[in-house]
Amino acid sequence: MRLAGRTVGVCLTGSHCTLSEALEAVEALAAEGAELVGILSTSVSSTTTRFGHPELWRQRLKQITGREPLTSIPEVEPIGPNRSLDVLVIIPCTGNTMAKLANGITDGPVTMAAKAHLRNGRPVVLAISTNDGLGLNASNLAKLLVTKNVYFVPFGQDNPESKPNSLVARLSLTVDAVVAALEGRQLQPMLIERWRDQ
């Protein structure tokens, strides 16, 4: 098991259409032996959508991790001083979250967890899911691509004909990306033609 003995923070943010698939990737991290700490963004912990109720996501994450997810800034702030995580994964990472990370905005549990974790020089892995990754958010993506200790689950355009600015990570590569990040390297190739497995 490639992640045995490792503590992995897993943050869910509000790309609600991607949450079910993201939780499958979280299960894959658990299957590799990781001890998991779940963190929910304010959007995921408070917004009901056609994809599910907040309690659904909280319960599913709790079932996988074996503990209640963290949902507030005071709950996640000790991640920094306690050095409690080996790696932090934001899955899915929305364009909104990506923009905040790129510009140092810490206004919720996920961005605070990332800030607290990065202060220790430890890896953060982003599994992006955004409709404007090649639009207004492209500049934020560029900032994060050159940010020390930030790594990406390989990503590509999920629907270039209908949504040419949209980028989505291939979540089936999450474990490989996390293992690579723990070794201090970006999983390659990072840019893929299509994110969906054919």
Side-chain angles (χ1 to χ4, degrees):
M1 293 194 292
R2 292 182 289 168
L3 295 172
R6 299 288 196 167
T7 303
V8 180
V10 287
C11 302
L12 302 184
T13 72
S15 178
H16 295 271
C17 62
T18 314
L19 289 175
S20 286
E21 188 182 1
L23 286 166
E24 291 176 8
V26 175
E27 289 174 336
L29 292 168
E32 288 287 351
E35 180 181 349
L36 300 177
V37 176
I39 300 165
L40 297 178
S41 74
T42 302
S43 175
V44 175
S45 65
S46 66
T47 305
T48 298
T49 72
R50 63 190 172 96
F51 300 102
H53 188 275
E55 186 62 16
L56 168 69
W57 308 121
R58 189 187 70 78
Q59 286 293 342
R60 286 189 62 188
L61 189 58
K62 179 182 177 182
Q63 182 179 24
I64 298 167
T65 64
R67 64 181 81 187
E68 286 286 347
L70 308 178
T71 60
S72 71
I73 289 176
E75 287 178 321
V76 302
E77 190 277 334
I79 286 171
N82 293 344
R83 296 179 170 264
S84 52
L85 304 177
D86 294 302
V87 59
L88 181 74
V89 185
I90 303 179
I91 178 172
C93 179
T94 62
N96 186 51
T97 300
M98 189 166 65
K100 290 177 180 180
L101 292 172
N103 291 285
I105 298 170
T106 307
D107 64 350
V110 171
T111 50
M112 174 56 81
K115 176 185 176 181
H117 184 65
L118 282 169
R119 71 175 245 182
N120 296 324
R122 294 182 177 179
V124 170
V125 178
L126 307 181
I128 62 174
S129 179
T130 172
N131 284 326
D132 68 342
L134 295 177
L136 287 175
N137 238 323
S139 61
N140 296 313
L141 174 60
K143 285 183 183 180
L144 292 169
L145 285 170
V146 297
T147 299
K148 186 176 181 181
N149 296 318
V150 173
Y151 302 89
F152 288 82
V153 177
F155 60 88
Q157 292 174 278
D158 56 307
N159 189 349
E161 293 81 14
S162 299
K163 300 189 298 179
N165 291 336
S166 181
L167 295 175
V168 180
R170 182 176 289 175
L171 297 184
S172 61
L173 295 175
T174 300
V175 172
D176 292 339
V178 169
V179 170
L182 285 165
E183 296 171 353
R185 61 184 178 85
Q186 170 62 52
L187 183 66
Q188 297 293 345
M190 182 175 61
L191 299 178
I192 52 179
E193 292 184 16
R194 294 276 187 162
W195 75 274
R196 296 188 188 278
D197 295 319
Q198 300 297 325

